[in-house]
Amino acid sequence: MKKRLIQGLFITCAGFSVNAFALGYTADFEACMRKAQSQSDSINTCQIKEYKAQNKRVKHLYKLTLKTTAENEQALVKQSQDVWLQRRDHACNIQNKKAKAFSISNSSCALQMTMSHADMMEVRLNNKNMK
């Protein structure tokens, strides 16, 4: 019995460390930025690639959030996500633009807002799952 409890705690701690690792930038982005040094085209390429990874993360977390939300609250989650997307697009001036067409300021803004949103969603999901 005691052995099972210890194994369960170990697995739980390992799961939390994996989730904590997912917060923030990917290791690929950090390596890309070191390689880019101060070349703006290379920096923009790194930012766009990371933006796509973070946007994919947001979509995944959004789906998980909908799965774990009561049916009567799902419309609110959808509305909240739509409002966030509109705010991000407006703030970063990326309406009707594909990521590959982003300028360095578009990609920097979109990356920061998207990563922050993904981090927030992940923390909320983890807190919800701990209850």
Side-chain angles (χ1 to χ4, degrees), residues 25 28-52 99-100 102-112:
Y25 297 115
D28 289 345
F29 176 69
E30 292 171 5
C32 185
M33 290 297 284
R34 279 192 298 276
K35 188 176 176 184
Q37 295 177 351
S38 61
Q39 299 173 16
S40 59
D41 287 343
S42 297
I43 291 170
N44 194 40
T45 299
C46 294
Q47 289 178 339
I48 289 170
K49 187 175 179 182
E50 182 68 6
Y51 162 76
K52 289 178 180 180
K100 64 182 177 182
F102 287 0
S103 69
I104 197 163
S105 63
N106 297 132
S107 63
S108 177
C109 177
L111 171 57
Q112 291 299 316

Side-chain angles (χ1 to χ4, degrees), residues 82-94:
D82 289 343
V83 167
W84 174 79
L85 286 167
Q86 290 171 1
R87 286 184 181 160
R88 181 200 62 191
D89 291 352
H90 180 74
C92 299
N93 194 27
I94 57 173

